PDB file of all heavy atoms in Angstrom:
ATOM      1  N   VAL A 279      -7.751 -12.525   6.789  1.00 98.00           N
ATOM      2  CA  VAL A 279      -8.473 -13.769   6.522  1.00 98.00           C
ATOM      3  C   VAL A 279      -7.449 -14.845   6.169  1.00 98.00           C
ATOM      4  O   VAL A 279      -6.243 -14.590   6.139  1.00 98.00           O
ATOM      5  CB  VAL A 279      -9.479 -13.606   5.367  1.00 98.00           C
ATOM      6  CG1 VAL A 279     -10.612 -12.672   5.757  1.00 98.00           C
ATOM      7  CG2 VAL A 279      -8.773 -13.098   4.101  1.00 98.00           C
ATOM      8  N   VAL A 280      -7.925 -16.054   5.896  1.00 98.00           N
ATOM      9  CA  VAL A 280      -7.026 -17.100   5.419  1.00 98.00           C
ATOM     10  C   VAL A 280      -6.315 -16.581   4.172  1.00 98.00           C
ATOM     11  O   VAL A 280      -6.937 -16.013   3.277  1.00 98.00           O
ATOM     12  CB  VAL A 280      -7.803 -18.390   5.090  1.00 98.00           C
ATOM     13  CG1 VAL A 280      -6.865 -19.451   4.508  1.00 98.00           C
ATOM     14  CG2 VAL A 280      -8.491 -18.931   6.343  1.00 98.00           C
ATOM     15  N   HIS A 281      -5.010 -16.776   4.098  1.00 98.00           N
ATOM     16  CA  HIS A 281      -4.230 -16.182   3.019  1.00 98.00           C
ATOM     17  C   HIS A 281      -3.059 -17.082   2.659  1.00 98.00           C
ATOM     18  O   HIS A 281      -2.641 -17.944   3.445  1.00 98.00           O
ATOM     19  CB  HIS A 281      -3.704 -14.808   3.445  1.00 98.00           C
ATOM     20  CG  HIS A 281      -2.892 -14.856   4.706  1.00 98.00           C
ATOM     21  ND1 HIS A 281      -3.479 -14.850   5.961  1.00 98.00           N
ATOM     22  CD2 HIS A 281      -1.550 -14.944   4.935  1.00 98.00           C
ATOM     23  CE1 HIS A 281      -2.542 -14.935   6.888  1.00 98.00           C
ATOM     24  NE2 HIS A 281      -1.362 -14.996   6.293  1.00 98.00           N
ATOM     25  N   TYR A 282      -2.515 -16.830   1.491  1.00 98.00           N
ATOM     26  CA  TYR A 282      -1.345 -17.578   1.023  1.00 98.00           C
ATOM     27  C   TYR A 282      -0.092 -16.793   1.357  1.00 98.00           C
ATOM     28  O   TYR A 282      -0.003 -15.596   1.090  1.00 98.00           O
ATOM     29  CB  TYR A 282      -1.434 -17.797  -0.483  1.00 98.00           C
ATOM     30  CG  TYR A 282      -0.198 -18.416  -1.103  1.00 98.00           C
ATOM     31  CD1 TYR A 282       0.117 -19.758  -0.882  1.00 98.00           C
ATOM     32  CD2 TYR A 282       0.646 -17.665  -1.910  1.00 98.00           C
ATOM     33  CE1 TYR A 282       1.245 -20.319  -1.455  1.00 98.00           C
ATOM     34  CE2 TYR A 282       1.775 -18.220  -2.495  1.00 98.00           C
ATOM     35  CZ  TYR A 282       2.076 -19.554  -2.267  1.00 98.00           C
ATOM     36  OH  TYR A 282       3.189 -20.115  -2.834  1.00 98.00           O
ATOM     37  N   ASP A 283       0.888 -17.467   1.943  1.00 98.00           N
ATOM     38  CA  ASP A 283       2.185 -16.870   2.203  1.00 98.00           C
ATOM     39  C   ASP A 283       3.165 -17.408   1.173  1.00 98.00           C
ATOM     40  O   ASP A 283       3.513 -18.587   1.182  1.00 98.00           O
ATOM     41  CB  ASP A 283       2.667 -17.203   3.617  1.00 98.00           C
ATOM     42  CG  ASP A 283       3.936 -16.435   3.977  1.00 98.00           C
ATOM     43  OD1 ASP A 283       5.006 -16.782   3.432  1.00 98.00           O
ATOM     44  OD2 ASP A 283       3.853 -15.487   4.789  1.00 98.00           O
ATOM     45  N   TYR A 284       3.608 -16.539   0.281  1.00 97.00           N
ATOM     46  CA  TYR A 284       4.477 -16.945  -0.823  1.00 97.00           C
ATOM     47  C   TYR A 284       5.823 -17.470  -0.331  1.00 97.00           C
ATOM     48  O   TYR A 284       6.359 -18.446  -0.855  1.00 97.00           O
ATOM     49  CB  TYR A 284       4.681 -15.742  -1.747  1.00 97.00           C
ATOM     50  CG  TYR A 284       5.776 -15.908  -2.770  1.00 97.00           C
ATOM     51  CD1 TYR A 284       5.619 -16.760  -3.859  1.00 97.00           C
ATOM     52  CD2 TYR A 284       6.978 -15.200  -2.657  1.00 97.00           C
ATOM     53  CE1 TYR A 284       6.628 -16.903  -4.806  1.00 97.00           C
ATOM     54  CE2 TYR A 284       7.981 -15.333  -3.600  1.00 97.00           C
ATOM     55  CZ  TYR A 284       7.805 -16.195  -4.670  1.00 97.00           C
ATOM     56  OH  TYR A 284       8.803 -16.331  -5.597  1.00 97.00           O
ATOM     57  N   TRP A 285       6.366 -16.832   0.694  1.00 97.00           N
ATOM     58  CA  TRP A 285       7.711 -17.191   1.147  1.00 97.00           C
ATOM     59  C   TRP A 285       7.722 -18.534   1.875  1.00 97.00           C
ATOM     60  O   TRP A 285       8.715 -19.233   1.871  1.00 97.00           O
ATOM     61  CB  TRP A 285       8.275 -16.068   2.006  1.00 97.00           C
ATOM     62  CG  TRP A 285       8.411 -14.817   1.208  1.00 97.00           C
ATOM     63  CD1 TRP A 285       9.475 -14.452   0.427  1.00 97.00           C
ATOM     64  CD2 TRP A 285       7.432 -13.788   1.044  1.00 97.00           C
ATOM     65  NE1 TRP A 285       9.215 -13.260  -0.192  1.00 97.00           N
ATOM     66  CE2 TRP A 285       7.978 -12.819   0.170  1.00 97.00           C
ATOM     67  CE3 TRP A 285       6.151 -13.571   1.561  1.00 97.00           C
ATOM     68  CZ2 TRP A 285       7.285 -11.670  -0.200  1.00 97.00           C
ATOM     69  CZ3 TRP A 285       5.463 -12.439   1.200  1.00 97.00           C
ATOM     70  CH2 TRP A 285       6.024 -11.493   0.320  1.00 97.00           C
ATOM     71  N   GLU A 286       6.610 -18.892   2.493  1.00 97.00           N
ATOM     72  CA  GLU A 286       6.488 -20.213   3.116  1.00 97.00           C
ATOM     73  C   GLU A 286       5.797 -21.214   2.198  1.00 97.00           C
ATOM     74  O   GLU A 286       5.758 -22.411   2.492  1.00 97.00           O
ATOM     75  CB  GLU A 286       5.717 -20.102   4.431  1.00 97.00           C
ATOM     76  CG  GLU A 286       6.424 -19.281   5.485  1.00 97.00           C
ATOM     77  CD  GLU A 286       5.674 -19.235   6.805  1.00 97.00           C
ATOM     78  OE1 GLU A 286       4.446 -19.418   6.813  1.00 97.00           O
ATOM     79  OE2 GLU A 286       6.326 -19.027   7.829  1.00 97.00           O
ATOM     80  N   ASP A 287       5.231 -20.701   1.108  1.00 97.00           N
ATOM     81  CA  ASP A 287       4.546 -21.526   0.112  1.00 97.00           C
ATOM     82  C   ASP A 287       3.449 -22.375   0.749  1.00 97.00           C
ATOM     83  O   ASP A 287       3.357 -23.580   0.538  1.00 97.00           O
ATOM     84  CB  ASP A 287       5.536 -22.419  -0.642  1.00 97.00           C
ATOM     85  CG  ASP A 287       4.902 -23.064  -1.879  1.00 97.00           C
ATOM     86  OD1 ASP A 287       3.915 -22.503  -2.393  1.00 97.00           O
ATOM     87  OD2 ASP A 287       5.383 -24.139  -2.300  1.00 97.00           O
ATOM     88  N   LYS A 288       2.590 -21.699   1.502  1.00 97.00           N
ATOM     89  CA  LYS A 288       1.473 -22.418   2.109  1.00 97.00           C
ATOM     90  C   LYS A 288       0.372 -21.438   2.520  1.00 97.00           C
ATOM     91  O   LYS A 288       0.608 -20.221   2.653  1.00 97.00           O
ATOM     92  CB  LYS A 288       1.932 -23.208   3.331  1.00 97.00           C
ATOM     93  CG  LYS A 288       2.356 -22.362   4.515  1.00 97.00           C
ATOM     94  CD  LYS A 288       2.768 -23.238   5.693  1.00 97.00           C
ATOM     95  CE  LYS A 288       3.095 -22.406   6.931  1.00 97.00           C
ATOM     96  NZ  LYS A 288       3.502 -23.259   8.078  1.00 97.00           N
ATOM     97  N   LEU A 289      -0.830 -21.986   2.725  1.00 98.00           N
ATOM     98  CA  LEU A 289      -1.922 -21.193   3.267  1.00 98.00           C
ATOM     99  C   LEU A 289      -1.724 -21.028   4.767  1.00 98.00           C
ATOM    100  O   LEU A 289      -1.269 -21.950   5.456  1.00 98.00           O
ATOM    101  CB  LEU A 289      -3.273 -21.869   3.000  1.00 98.00           C
ATOM    102  CG  LEU A 289      -3.772 -21.889   1.553  1.00 98.00           C
ATOM    103  CD1 LEU A 289      -5.083 -22.656   1.479  1.00 98.00           C
ATOM    104  CD2 LEU A 289      -3.967 -20.479   1.009  1.00 98.00           C
ATOM    105  N   ARG A 290      -2.080 -19.862   5.257  1.00 98.00           N
ATOM    106  CA  ARG A 290      -2.040 -19.596   6.691  1.00 98.00           C
ATOM    107  C   ARG A 290      -3.408 -19.125   7.147  1.00 98.00           C
ATOM    108  O   ARG A 290      -4.163 -18.517   6.371  1.00 98.00           O
ATOM    109  CB  ARG A 290      -0.995 -18.526   7.015  1.00 98.00           C
ATOM    110  CG  ARG A 290       0.449 -18.965   6.794  1.00 98.00           C
ATOM    111  CD  ARG A 290       1.409 -17.857   7.181  1.00 98.00           C
ATOM    112  NE  ARG A 290       1.332 -17.552   8.593  1.00 98.00           N
ATOM    113  CZ  ARG A 290       2.180 -18.015   9.523  1.00 98.00           C
ATOM    114  NH1 ARG A 290       3.177 -18.811   9.167  1.00 98.00           N
ATOM    115  NH2 ARG A 290       2.055 -17.680  10.789  1.00 98.00           N
ATOM    116  N   PRO A 291      -3.767 -19.368   8.401  1.00 98.00           N
ATOM    117  CA  PRO A 291      -5.054 -18.872   8.906  1.00 98.00           C
ATOM    118  C   PRO A 291      -5.015 -17.367   9.072  1.00 98.00           C
ATOM    119  O   PRO A 291      -3.964 -16.728   8.889  1.00 98.00           O
ATOM    120  CB  PRO A 291      -5.183 -19.581  10.257  1.00 98.00           C
ATOM    121  CG  PRO A 291      -3.767 -19.806  10.694  1.00 98.00           C
ATOM    122  CD  PRO A 291      -3.000 -20.083   9.426  1.00 98.00           C
ATOM    123  N   SER A 292      -6.136 -16.776   9.444  1.00 98.00           N
ATOM    124  CA  SER A 292      -6.154 -15.346   9.759  1.00 98.00           C
ATOM    125  C   SER A 292      -5.047 -15.038  10.754  1.00 98.00           C
ATOM    126  O   SER A 292      -4.776 -15.809  11.685  1.00 98.00           O
ATOM    127  CB  SER A 292      -7.506 -14.959  10.359  1.00 98.00           C
ATOM    128  OG  SER A 292      -7.431 -13.690  10.987  1.00 98.00           O
ATOM    129  N   ILE A 293      -4.419 -13.900  10.587  1.00 98.00           N
ATOM    130  CA  ILE A 293      -3.350 -13.493  11.496  1.00 98.00           C
ATOM    131  C   ILE A 293      -3.849 -13.392  12.934  1.00 98.00           C
ATOM    132  O   ILE A 293      -3.077 -13.555  13.894  1.00 98.00           O
ATOM    133  CB  ILE A 293      -2.728 -12.155  11.026  1.00 98.00           C
ATOM    134  CG1 ILE A 293      -1.406 -11.880  11.740  1.00 98.00           C
ATOM    135  CG2 ILE A 293      -3.709 -11.002  11.196  1.00 98.00           C
ATOM    136  CD1 ILE A 293      -0.657 -10.681  11.196  1.00 98.00           C
ATOM    137  N   LEU A 294      -5.147 -13.186  13.109  1.00 98.00           N
ATOM    138  CA  LEU A 294      -5.717 -13.124  14.456  1.00 98.00           C
ATOM    139  C   LEU A 294      -5.565 -14.447  15.196  1.00 98.00           C
ATOM    140  O   LEU A 294      -5.412 -14.478  16.419  1.00 98.00           O
ATOM    141  CB  LEU A 294      -7.196 -12.739  14.384  1.00 98.00           C
ATOM    142  CG  LEU A 294      -7.501 -11.261  14.143  1.00 98.00           C
ATOM    143  CD1 LEU A 294      -8.946 -11.074  13.715  1.00 98.00           C
ATOM    144  CD2 LEU A 294      -7.186 -10.437  15.380  1.00 98.00           C
ATOM    145  N   ALA A 295      -5.623 -15.552  14.454  1.00 97.00           N
ATOM    146  CA  ALA A 295      -5.496 -16.861  15.085  1.00 97.00           C
ATOM    147  C   ALA A 295      -4.101 -17.083  15.645  1.00 97.00           C
ATOM    148  O   ALA A 295      -3.929 -17.721  16.692  1.00 97.00           O
ATOM    149  CB  ALA A 295      -5.845 -17.960  14.085  1.00 97.00           C
ATOM    150  N   ASP A 296      -3.088 -16.559  14.967  1.00 97.00           N
ATOM    151  CA  ASP A 296      -1.708 -16.721  15.425  1.00 97.00           C
ATOM    152  C   ASP A 296      -1.309 -15.659  16.445  1.00 97.00           C
ATOM    153  O   ASP A 296      -0.578 -15.941  17.397  1.00 97.00           O
ATOM    154  CB  ASP A 296      -0.742 -16.661  14.235  1.00 97.00           C
ATOM    155  CG  ASP A 296      -0.845 -17.884  13.336  1.00 97.00           C
ATOM    156  OD1 ASP A 296      -1.162 -18.975  13.846  1.00 97.00           O
ATOM    157  OD2 ASP A 296      -0.603 -17.744  12.119  1.00 97.00           O
ATOM    158  N   ALA A 297      -1.780 -14.439  16.252  1.00 97.00           N
ATOM    159  CA  ALA A 297      -1.341 -13.332  17.104  1.00 97.00           C
ATOM    160  C   ALA A 297      -2.065 -13.303  18.440  1.00 97.00           C
ATOM    161  O   ALA A 297      -1.568 -12.710  19.405  1.00 97.00           O
ATOM    162  CB  ALA A 297      -1.557 -12.007  16.378  1.00 97.00           C
ATOM    163  N   LYS A 298      -3.244 -13.896  18.505  1.00 94.00           N
ATOM    164  CA  LYS A 298      -4.053 -13.870  19.735  1.00 94.00           C
ATOM    165  C   LYS A 298      -4.373 -12.438  20.161  1.00 94.00           C
ATOM    166  O   LYS A 298      -4.458 -12.125  21.355  1.00 94.00           O
ATOM    167  CB  LYS A 298      -3.348 -14.608  20.876  1.00 94.00           C
ATOM    168  CG  LYS A 298      -2.881 -16.019  20.540  1.00 94.00           C
ATOM    169  CD  LYS A 298      -4.043 -16.951  20.253  1.00 94.00           C
ATOM    170  CE  LYS A 298      -3.591 -18.415  20.179  1.00 94.00           C
ATOM    171  NZ  LYS A 298      -2.688 -18.691  19.039  1.00 94.00           N
ATOM    172  N   ALA A 299      -4.540 -11.559  19.168  1.00 97.00           N
ATOM    173  CA  ALA A 299      -4.857 -10.161  19.459  1.00 97.00           C
ATOM    174  C   ALA A 299      -6.354 -10.007  19.721  1.00 97.00           C
ATOM    175  O   ALA A 299      -7.177 -10.826  19.295  1.00 97.00           O
ATOM    176  CB  ALA A 299      -4.438  -9.277  18.297  1.00 97.00           C
ATOM    177  N   ASP A 300      -6.709  -8.949  20.425  1.00 98.00           N
ATOM    178  CA  ASP A 300      -8.119  -8.691  20.723  1.00 98.00           C
ATOM    179  C   ASP A 300      -8.858  -8.112  19.529  1.00 98.00           C
ATOM    180  O   ASP A 300     -10.058  -8.329  19.375  1.00 98.00           O
ATOM    181  CB  ASP A 300      -8.219  -7.712  21.898  1.00 98.00           C
ATOM    182  CG  ASP A 300      -7.642  -8.289  23.168  1.00 98.00           C
ATOM    183  OD1 ASP A 300      -8.375  -8.969  23.902  1.00 98.00           O
ATOM    184  OD2 ASP A 300      -6.441  -8.072  23.417  1.00 98.00           O
ATOM    185  N   LEU A 301      -8.156  -7.371  18.695  1.00 98.00           N
ATOM    186  CA  LEU A 301      -8.808  -6.675  17.588  1.00 98.00           C
ATOM    187  C   LEU A 301      -7.788  -6.433  16.493  1.00 98.00           C
ATOM    188  O   LEU A 301      -6.591  -6.287  16.756  1.00 98.00           O
ATOM    189  CB  LEU A 301      -9.366  -5.331  18.081  1.00 98.00           C
ATOM    190  CG  LEU A 301     -10.358  -4.598  17.177  1.00 98.00           C
ATOM    191  CD1 LEU A 301     -11.681  -5.370  17.090  1.00 98.00           C
ATOM    192  CD2 LEU A 301     -10.629  -3.190  17.716  1.00 98.00           C
ATOM    193  N   LEU A 302      -8.265  -6.388  15.261  1.00 98.00           N
ATOM    194  CA  LEU A 302      -7.438  -6.046  14.100  1.00 98.00           C
ATOM    195  C   LEU A 302      -8.076  -4.874  13.389  1.00 98.00           C
ATOM    196  O   LEU A 302      -9.283  -4.903  13.103  1.00 98.00           O
ATOM    197  CB  LEU A 302      -7.316  -7.251  13.170  1.00 98.00           C
ATOM    198  CG  LEU A 302      -6.462  -7.120  11.903  1.00 98.00           C
ATOM    199  CD1 LEU A 302      -5.931  -8.493  11.486  1.00 98.00           C
ATOM    200  CD2 LEU A 302      -7.229  -6.512  10.730  1.00 98.00           C
ATOM    201  N   VAL A 303      -7.293  -3.854  13.122  1.00 98.00           N
ATOM    202  CA  VAL A 303      -7.749  -2.702  12.338  1.00 98.00           C
ATOM    203  C   VAL A 303      -7.222  -2.873  10.923  1.00 98.00           C
ATOM    204  O   VAL A 303      -6.014  -2.992  10.722  1.00 98.00           O
ATOM    205  CB  VAL A 303      -7.243  -1.383  12.934  1.00 98.00           C
ATOM    206  CG1 VAL A 303      -7.626  -0.212  12.025  1.00 98.00           C
ATOM    207  CG2 VAL A 303      -7.808  -1.174  14.327  1.00 98.00           C
ATOM    208  N   TYR A 304      -8.132  -2.916   9.942  1.00 97.00           N
ATOM    209  CA  TYR A 304      -7.676  -2.971   8.555  1.00 97.00           C
ATOM    210  C   TYR A 304      -7.991  -1.646   7.872  1.00 97.00           C
ATOM    211  O   TYR A 304      -8.887  -0.917   8.273  1.00 97.00           O
ATOM    212  CB  TYR A 304      -8.293  -4.160   7.808  1.00 97.00           C
ATOM    213  CG  TYR A 304      -9.777  -4.097   7.534  1.00 97.00           C
ATOM    214  CD1 TYR A 304     -10.270  -3.495   6.376  1.00 97.00           C
ATOM    215  CD2 TYR A 304     -10.701  -4.665   8.407  1.00 97.00           C
ATOM    216  CE1 TYR A 304     -11.622  -3.444   6.098  1.00 97.00           C
ATOM    217  CE2 TYR A 304     -12.067  -4.637   8.139  1.00 97.00           C
ATOM    218  CZ  TYR A 304     -12.523  -4.024   6.991  1.00 97.00           C
ATOM    219  OH  TYR A 304     -13.875  -3.977   6.718  1.00 97.00           O
ATOM    220  N   GLY A 305      -7.216  -1.336   6.857  1.00 94.00           N
ATOM    221  CA  GLY A 305      -7.357  -0.031   6.225  1.00 94.00           C
ATOM    222  C   GLY A 305      -6.464   0.986   6.917  1.00 94.00           C
ATOM    223  O   GLY A 305      -5.540   0.644   7.658  1.00 94.00           O
ATOM    224  N   MET A 306      -6.741   2.262   6.699  1.00 94.00           N
ATOM    225  CA  MET A 306      -5.840   3.314   7.163  1.00 94.00           C
ATOM    226  C   MET A 306      -5.944   3.571   8.659  1.00 94.00           C
ATOM    227  O   MET A 306      -4.992   4.024   9.282  1.00 94.00           O
ATOM    228  CB  MET A 306      -6.080   4.593   6.370  1.00 94.00           C
ATOM    229  CG  MET A 306      -5.823   4.412   4.878  1.00 94.00           C
ATOM    230  SD  MET A 306      -4.192   3.722   4.507  1.00 94.00           S
ATOM    231  CE  MET A 306      -3.144   5.118   4.870  1.00 94.00           C
ATOM    232  N   GLY A 307      -7.077   3.358   9.274  1.00 95.00           N
ATOM    233  CA  GLY A 307      -7.138   3.202  10.722  1.00 95.00           C
ATOM    234  C   GLY A 307      -7.401   4.413  11.582  1.00 95.00           C
ATOM    235  O   GLY A 307      -7.678   4.260  12.774  1.00 95.00           O
ATOM    236  N   GLU A 308      -7.341   5.651  11.051  1.00 97.00           N
ATOM    237  CA  GLU A 308      -7.482   6.799  11.942  1.00 97.00           C
ATOM    238  C   GLU A 308      -8.857   6.838  12.618  1.00 97.00           C
ATOM    239  O   GLU A 308      -8.944   7.072  13.833  1.00 97.00           O
ATOM    240  CB  GLU A 308      -7.253   8.112  11.182  1.00 97.00           C
ATOM    241  CG  GLU A 308      -5.841   8.278  10.654  1.00 97.00           C
ATOM    242  CD  GLU A 308      -5.675   7.811   9.220  1.00 97.00           C
ATOM    243  OE1 GLU A 308      -6.656   7.264   8.658  1.00 97.00           O
ATOM    244  OE2 GLU A 308      -4.572   7.990   8.672  1.00 97.00           O
TER     245      GLU A 308
END
Side-chain angles (χ1 to χ4, degrees):
V279 293
V280 176
H281 56 277
Y282 173 72
D283 188 288
Y284 168 72
W285 297 274
E286 296 183 335
D287 192 24
K288 68 179 184 180
L289 290 177
R290 292 182 64 99
S292 165
I293 194 172
L294 282 164
D296 290 329
K298 308 295 191 294
D300 296 273
L301 194 68
L302 181 154
V303 175
Y304 69 88
M306 299 307 287
E308 295 94 355

